[in-house]
Amino acid sequence: MMNGLGNLGHLGRLGHVSTSGTNHPEVEASGRAFPIWNTKSGDNKLMSLSIHGRTEQSDTPTPANPVPMRSVGDSGLFLSVMPDKAGSDYQLLNIKAAMKKAGHDGILRSVNGIYDEVVYNGKKWKLIQRIGVLDNIPEMGILFKDATYTDKQLFRFQFKTSEPKNFCATGQILSDIFITATGWAMNNQPLNSCWSNYARENVHYIYFNVPLEYDTVEKAIAYLGENYEIYYPLYTPIEYPLDLPVITTYDEQTYFASNAAEVKPRMVAQCQVSKALDYIREGLIGYYTGRGRSNTDENKNILPDLSGNGNDLENKNFAYTVDSGYGDGYIQYDGIDDYSRLPLEKVLEKGVETQMFVISSTQPTIESDNKWNGGMVVSNYYFAIKRSEIGRNEDYKQVYLNGTDVKTTGFNISGSEEINTVVISKIKDEPFNQYFNISTILNAAIYCLKQRVHDVLLYDRILTEEEIQHNYKVSCQYNGENIDGNSEETTASGENGFTVYNSLPGIFEELTVYGKSIQDGTPTPANPIPINSVGDTPLIITISNGTETQQINFGDIKLSSVGTVYDELVFDNSIGKWKLIQRIGVLDNIPEMGILFKDATYTDKQLFRFQFKTSEPKNFCATGQILSDIFITATGWAMNNQPLNSCWSNYARENVHYIYFNVPLEYDTVEKAISYLGENYEIHYPLYSPIETELDFESPKTFSGEVTVTTNQETVLPYMTARAEVGEKLTLPADPLAIYIAGKQTTGEMVFKDQSGNGNDIPLFNIAHSAESGFFQGALHLDGVDDTGSLPLESFNPKITAETSFFLSGKVNEIGNKYFSYFRSINNTSLAVTRLEPENTGDFIAYYPLALTGNPDVNLLNTYRLTYKNNNLLDKLLSPANSTYYNLAGFLQGQSQFELEKLDYRYLIIYPRNLTEEEQAIVLKYIKQGIYES
């Protein structure tokens, strides 16, 4: 956050601003994120705000390289209004959700400077849609019949297929389907000449290459199929009212920012303030900007001097397109021959002492490039910026980058997409009064640099540091800045909670709560054992950084699981909504079974779990079976055609798990069996087709700093995952030996994969691939019966030594004579062992170097006790002759298992050296955040 600069009255006149009365000056502000200084609190001070659409396509699309169009709102669009950049408190407006509610798709697009726009007039909101989307050829004649657009770049195509197709005998392919200007003189060519056009006078004709044999429009349409999508300006814009609240401003400063995920929009605001800021005017002899200019201006070839000194510049070689001309608040120089110059006959009567450039999207350059951002040259002395960089201790009196003095270090912003403010002041005595250029020097195209220029200011004096800081502050208001700095996306996960470090204020990109059901034992009529699920107690998510807190109450929503199938509660920023994905149903009505299961194809013998609603035991068959025998039975029972009074009732279909119900022999009809069973059962089962429902709950916020996410669940703890933007993503210390992250693996995999790239995958043994044995919801579950993983030390790369250290986390589910992270030799040195021994159950995070001696507690959570056991025979243990194995749980020798631990592995990270305390702290944060993607 920038601090106020105190009394600046002595710095010169601060310029003209619009006013709505002597005591109510108004200022304009714009950018992707920007402050408005000296604001007053209230819901009537923001006079207007507009959010502009923008569509980007990073390359020319072809069938082999579709190059998708990216637009504002593709992945969500929120507006944050805050008292400061740090986001200590903020109003959050879900713009995309409001657009979708109004019947729009929630995406703001642009075509060649024409853009969709969300507009706020100080009281009400509306969407102005100016861009349409076309993927239906027959509609073209109607859509374009009255169009008057003449720009050859009017339309851009996104190909929906990567399959190249030959279109003509000359070999043209789908990549030739582009807009073609009227100059092609092919208006009357027949379709089978390889061109199809929907032509009208003054309309840009759209030519589609098609094979010669497709000689009718119908055939051409059928051939083209779904291979295109066109964005085009609507002939008549469409307006939608939006249901969004009035914006309240704050005292002293109000900060505006969009957290659109990929393409961030430019916004323009008009606001009443207590005092308007403008650039320093004293000594200003040239002031040029792209704000308020367009490619349709009558005087577009002139870049006017707003200082009032008449030092206008001439634009040279501009095509006045999106790639060469005026953009949304900037001037786009193409890097080929575009530049702006002081006319040759013009002389700056006062020499230039200070230059200020506000630039963005600069061309990546290399040291051999002789390209210039702009400036002046006299004799052999350059007073200019070359290749978007200035070396340290350059021969200038002052060098500032974004308000920071960088004279001693220099800077390099080559290739930067962000808005950067550069100030340089000369130290030489030579006058600089001619040959001033933007985007080149010496009025020469060979020196042209591709860049966007927002503002350029020239002064006939050297500015003070305080003045430079003031101008930077004003530039942030006029042109915006990058609110999230080095914004990166990270992941987080955990059972019933996690912490996101270096969080930025905004909205989670994605937040998911996974369903889970538990049943503590085998149910019988005498011991029903209820099925407990996430949400039995109304589910509440709490998000907090210790200062700010948000709670979201999901009421009576329950999230269940059966085996490895589970419900999900998902927030998706791309739609700005929560949704419930229900995969588990509940059945307590036998007649419905035939319908529910008739098309099922499930084959998991653990498909269903029963909860008995009665504690009254009943005898069912002459053989003495009772209600406890009502369980799922696999198809291998071969009882499909047994009569009901044989004690079995089944609703059987091919490829369906048959459900057998034991009943007494005298209940020899289905009706009698149903009557007898009554209310004694409840079945949780996977739905044949999941059900998705959008939910109207608050969007989950992120705050600055360390943000924790927890729930109020106690009996069943849900696993959760998230994606969020952070200022700096956590990374592990360099050069690990192996990294194992259970959250990156899925049910069915038979190795614990090494994510380090060293290839140290650990084979798994006896895994059942169920919720209790295998990868499930972010953990590798080992059942304590026969599950383990084992890798001989000789297979590790690099090799395991006494200096090797281990960082691991998970959950201990039982104790006893059981161990894990276990080394043991199987040849002649059976006493050479080292392992972790839990003394109670619960979550753990542990760190230990292999050569650690004694019997220390190594649990970093300090809640559950883990003891590291080492019999001090490491020399024997690590000897290649002794065939030592590293085991995830217990000790595996041949087909026998000993001392196997029932536990969940989440992370296992191995380093070939001891970690410093600082490195340990980083790994601890990494694990507590639960990063599951690298």
Side-chain angles (χ1 to χ4, degrees):
M1 176 181 172
M2 235 170 302
N3 295 318
L5 297 177
N7 183 7
L8 290 169
H10 66 285
L11 297 181
R13 186 167 64 91
L14 296 182
H16 59 278
V17 294
S18 62
T19 62
S20 57
T22 305
N23 298 320
H24 301 286
E26 291 181 11
V27 296
E28 185 175 283
S30 66
R32 301 182 186 183
F34 54 85
I36 300 180
W37 305 105
N38 301 327
T39 53
K40 298 182 291 184
S41 62
D43 59 5
N44 60 346
K45 302 299 186 292
L46 185 66
M47 311 311 294
S48 66
L49 176 73
S50 66
I51 304 173
H52 298 182
R54 187 165 93 252
T55 297
E56 298 175 345
Q57 204 169 18
S58 60
D59 200 354
T60 300
T62 69
N65 182 32
V67 190
M69 296 180 189
R70 304 190 314 165
S71 298
V72 172
D74 282 340
S75 301
L77 177 56
F78 291 85
L79 172 67
S80 297
V81 184
M82 305 172 280
D84 53 59
K85 184 176 180 179
S88 56
D89 180 26
Y90 58 92
Q91 306 158 53
L92 188 70
L93 286 73
N94 192 334
I95 307 297
K96 178 160 185 168
M99 289 193 289
K100 290 175 71 70
K101 184 178 179 180
H104 192 265
D105 66 4
I107 300 175
L108 298 177
R109 302 173 174 88
S110 71
V111 172
N112 202 40
I114 302 171
Y115 50 78
D116 296 327
E117 187 176 12
V118 170
V119 177
Y120 173 65
N121 67 1
K123 296 180 180 179
K124 296 183 178 180
W125 294 80
K126 67 179 178 181
L127 164 65
I128 305 174
Q129 181 187 355
R130 299 187 179 97
I131 305 301
V133 180
L134 179 66
D135 59 5
N136 188 324
I137 294 179
E139 294 180 3
M140 291 185 183
I142 298 171
L143 286 168
F144 302 141
K145 72 175 183 178
D146 295 317
T148 57
Y149 310 109
T150 57
D151 189 332
K152 67 181 180 180
Q153 298 295 325
L154 189 62
F155 303 97
R156 296 298 299 275
F157 282 71
Q158 170 184 330
F159 294 100
K160 294 183 176 179
T161 180
S162 59
E163 180 187 353
K165 296 180 178 178
N166 288 323
F167 273 65
C168 293
T170 54
Q172 288 117 327
I173 59 171
L174 195 59
S175 60
D176 296 315
I177 301 184
F178 293 111
I179 302 309
T180 306
T182 54
W184 274 84
M186 296 191 63
N187 301 358
N188 298 313
Q189 294 296 318
L191 185 70
N192 64 4
S193 70
C194 214
W195 297 95
S196 167
N197 69 76
Y198 292 82
R200 279 182 66 93
E201 188 177 358
N202 296 323
V203 178
H204 250 305
Y205 308 136
I206 303 174
Y207 299 100
F208 289 85
N209 288 340
V210 294
L212 291 172
E213 63 268 24
Y214 292 87
D215 55 358
T216 68
V217 172
E218 291 73 20
K219 290 181 181 178
I221 292 172
Y223 182 79
L224 287 169
E226 298 297 319
N227 294 331
Y228 62 91
E229 182 176 279
I230 309 170
Y231 293 176
Y232 63 95
L234 295 171
Y235 183 67
T236 303
I238 304 170
E239 294 191 4
Y240 303 78
L242 300 180
D243 183 15
L244 288 166
V246 171
I247 291 178
T248 299
T249 53
Y250 300 87
D251 278 329
E252 297 185 0
Q253 179 192 169
T254 303
Y255 204 97
F256 294 80
S258 163
N259 65 339
E262 294 182 332
V263 183
K264 297 186 184 296
R266 180 173 183 253
M267 300 181 288
V268 179
Q270 194 82 13
C271 188
Q272 286 186 2
V273 293
S274 59
K275 179 182 179 181
L277 294 188
D278 194 8
Y279 288 125
I280 302 297
R281 292 284 170 163
E282 184 179 336
L284 184 63
I285 59 175
Y287 175 12
Y288 314 98
T289 185
R291 285 176 282 113
R293 302 302 306 277
S294 75
N295 290 329
T296 59
D297 291 348
E298 289 186 8
N299 66 337
K300 60 186 177 184
N301 290 320
I302 299 298
L303 193 56
D305 172 18
L306 301 184
S307 74
N309 291 301
N311 295 316
D312 297 347
L313 304 183
E314 298 173 339
N315 290 333
K316 307 299 289 185
N317 307 316
F318 279 78
Y320 296 106
T321 66
V322 290
D323 301 313
S324 169
Y326 296 107
D328 193 5
Y330 56 83
I331 311 160
Q332 177 68 62
Y333 295 86
D334 66 5
I336 300 171
D337 57 3
D338 292 354
Y339 63 94
S340 301
R341 74 175 188 185
L342 190 71
L344 297 178
E345 68 278 6
K346 191 77 174 180
V347 174
L348 295 170
E349 295 181 0
K350 297 181 179 180
V352 177
E353 299 282 335
T354 301
Q355 299 181 51
M356 173 176 161
F357 284 82
V358 184
I359 54 180
S360 68
S361 298
T362 58
Q363 175 183 351
T365 59
I366 57 177
E367 189 172 349
S368 61
D369 285 338
N370 194 9
K371 294 180 176 292
W372 297 76
N373 301 81
M376 312 182 75
V377 59
V378 171
S379 301
N380 293 320
Y381 179 57
Y382 295 91
F383 182 28
I385 306 171
K386 185 178 184 180
R387 293 192 303 265
S388 304
E389 63 179 310
I390 288 179
R392 60 182 179 176
N393 296 312
E394 187 76 43
D395 195 14
Y396 296 144
K397 182 178 179 62
Q398 295 171 316
V399 181
Y400 280 81
L401 176 66
N402 297 329
T404 300
D405 183 353
V406 293
K407 178 170 174 54
T408 58
T409 60
F411 68 84
N412 187 338
I413 54 173
S414 173
S416 172
E417 294 292 320
E418 305 305 332
I419 293 178
N420 291 285
T421 300
V422 178
V423 177
I424 54 175
S425 298
K426 82 178 189 71
I427 199 170
K428 296 281 188 179
D429 292 332
E430 295 94 330
F432 292 88
N433 56 10
Q434 58 184 353
Y435 293 126
F436 174 73
N437 295 171
I438 299 176
S439 208
T440 191
I441 56 170
L442 298 175
N443 300 327
I446 60 172
Y447 303 126
C448 283
L449 179 76
K450 184 177 182 179
Q451 63 181 347
R452 290 178 178 176
V453 173
H454 302 263
D455 286 340
V456 175
L457 285 78
L458 306 178
Y459 289 89
D460 66 3
R461 64 186 181 87
I462 292 178
L463 301 184
T464 67
E465 179 178 359
E466 193 176 16
E467 290 173 321
I468 291 171
Q469 293 284 359
H470 172 81
N471 272 3
Y472 175 59
K473 184 175 180 178
V474 174
S475 176
C476 290
Q477 179 173 287
Y478 280 165
N479 302 299
E481 58 179 336
N482 182 31
I483 185 174
D484 50 15
N486 297 320
S487 173
E488 300 179 277
E489 186 180 278
T490 192
T491 58
S493 66
E495 186 176 63
N496 204 42
F498 51 81
T499 300
V500 179
Y501 295 91
N502 308 320
S503 175
L504 294 171
I507 295 294
F508 277 98
E509 296 299 314
E510 184 179 275
L511 178 60
T512 302
V513 185
Y514 297 85
K516 186 187 298 182
S517 297
I518 61 174
Q519 202 171 19
D520 189 15
T522 301
T524 69
N527 184 27
I529 307 181
I531 298 175
N532 295 316
S533 300
V534 174
D536 286 340
T537 301
L539 174 65
I540 299 174
I541 292 179
T542 301
I543 306 169
S544 178
N545 67 349
T547 302
E548 302 140 292
T549 298
Q550 179 192 27
Q551 285 194 332
I552 308 174
N553 190 331
F554 293 97
D556 59 358
I557 292 176
K558 288 188 179 183
L559 303 174
S560 304
S561 70
V562 172
T564 57
V565 182
Y566 44 79
D567 298 327
E568 289 181 66
L569 183 61
V570 182
F571 174 75
D572 185 350
N573 198 343
S574 67
I575 62 172
K577 287 278 191 180
W578 287 93
K579 62 181 176 181
L580 173 65
I581 304 174
Q582 182 186 355
R583 298 188 178 94
I584 306 302
V586 178
L587 179 68
D588 59 6
N589 188 321
I590 293 180
E592 293 179 4
M593 290 185 185
I595 298 171
L596 285 169
F597 303 139
K598 71 175 184 178
D599 295 318
T601 57
Y602 310 109
T603 57
D604 188 338
K605 67 181 179 180
Q606 299 296 323
L607 190 62
F608 304 96
R609 296 295 298 276
F610 282 71
Q611 169 184 330
F612 294 101
K613 293 184 173 179
T614 179
S615 60
E616 179 186 354
K618 295 182 180 180
N619 289 320
F620 271 67
C621 292
T623 54
Q625 290 112 329
I626 59 172
L627 195 59
S628 60
D629 294 314
I630 301 183
F631 293 111
I632 302 308
T633 305
T635 53
W637 276 81
M639 296 192 63
N640 300 1
N641 299 312
Q642 294 296 318
L644 185 70
N645 64 5
S646 71
C647 215
W648 297 95
S649 166
N650 70 76
Y651 292 82
R653 279 182 65 93
E654 188 177 356
N655 297 323
V656 178
H657 251 304
Y658 308 138
I659 305 174
Y660 299 99
F661 288 85
N662 289 340
V663 295
L665 289 172
E666 64 268 25
Y667 292 89
D668 55 359
T669 68
V670 172
E671 290 74 19
K672 289 180 181 179
I674 292 172
S675 175
Y676 180 81
L677 286 170
E679 297 298 319
N680 295 330
Y681 62 92
E682 179 177 285
I683 309 170
H684 290 196
Y685 63 95
L687 296 171
Y688 182 65
S689 298
I691 302 169
E692 292 195 12
T693 307
E694 284 195 0
L695 305 173
D696 190 18
F697 293 103
E698 290 181 72
S699 300
K701 294 182 179 181
T702 56
F703 304 102
S704 295
E706 296 182 10
V707 173
T708 60
V709 180
T710 57
T711 79
N712 64 332
Q713 302 298 284
E714 296 180 359
T715 304
V716 185
L717 303 182
Y719 177 63
M720 298 187 288
T721 62
R723 290 189 298 114
E725 284 194 345
V726 292
E728 182 179 2
K729 186 173 180 178
L730 295 175
T731 56
L732 290 169
D735 304 320
L737 186 152
I739 301 172
Y740 306 93
I741 303 174
K744 289 178 66 72
Q745 298 196 235
T746 58
T747 300
E749 295 183 286
M750 287 305 298
V751 295
F752 205 2
K753 293 180 181 177
D754 174 17
Q755 309 292 337
S756 73
N758 291 326
N760 297 310
D761 295 351
I762 299 177
L764 301 175
F765 300 96
N766 307 312
I767 300 298
H769 306 302
S770 67
E772 293 80 25
S773 173
F775 295 105
F776 179 69
Q777 294 192 353
L780 170 58
H781 300 267
L782 304 180
D783 64 7
V785 179
D786 57 2
D787 291 355
T788 190
S790 185
L791 186 67
L793 262 58
E794 64 190 35
S795 298
F796 276 94
N797 175 40
K799 65 184 296 187
I800 301 286
T801 70
E803 297 300 315
T804 302
S805 61
F806 297 79
F807 221 123
L808 66 163
S809 73
K811 184 177 182 180
V812 173
N813 296 313
E814 66 176 355
I815 58 174
N817 189 27
K818 296 172 180 294
Y819 310 103
F820 63 98
S821 196
Y822 200 141
F823 286 82
R824 185 165 179 174
S825 169
I826 64 171
N827 291 337
N828 304 319
T829 56
S830 61
L831 295 179
V833 296
T834 180
R835 74 266 185 185
L836 287 178
E837 177 181 357
E839 296 188 20
N840 55 351
T841 60
D843 295 328
F844 70 87
I845 299 178
Y847 168 74
Y848 68 95
L850 195 55
L852 186 67
T853 59
N855 195 25
D857 178 5
V858 297
N859 186 6
L860 300 184
L861 286 183
N862 297 318
T863 305
Y864 301 92
R865 185 169 178 80
L866 286 175
T867 300
Y868 176 64
K869 297 269 185 155
N870 182 353
N871 66 358
N872 299 321
L873 296 175
L874 283 181
D875 55 338
K876 294 183 178 180
L877 197 66
L878 300 178
S879 170
N882 291 321
S883 301
T884 298
Y885 283 75
Y886 177 71
N887 304 283
L888 296 177
F891 175 54
L892 177 69
Q893 180 179 9
Q895 297 300 313
S896 300
Q897 295 86 30
F898 303 93
E899 303 164 336
L900 292 169
E901 176 67 63
K902 183 178 181 181
L903 80 160
D904 305 334
Y905 269 97
R906 294 196 179 276
Y907 287 84
L908 171 60
I909 302 171
I910 306 175
Y911 278 88
R913 55 183 170 80
N914 294 343
L915 297 182
T916 66
E917 289 186 4
E918 292 79 9
E919 289 175 324
Q920 290 179 47
I922 293 172
V923 179
L924 183 61
K925 284 184 175 181
Y926 189 96
I927 289 175
K928 290 179 71 174
Q929 179 168 303
I931 298 176
Y932 58 91
E933 292 180 346
S934 55

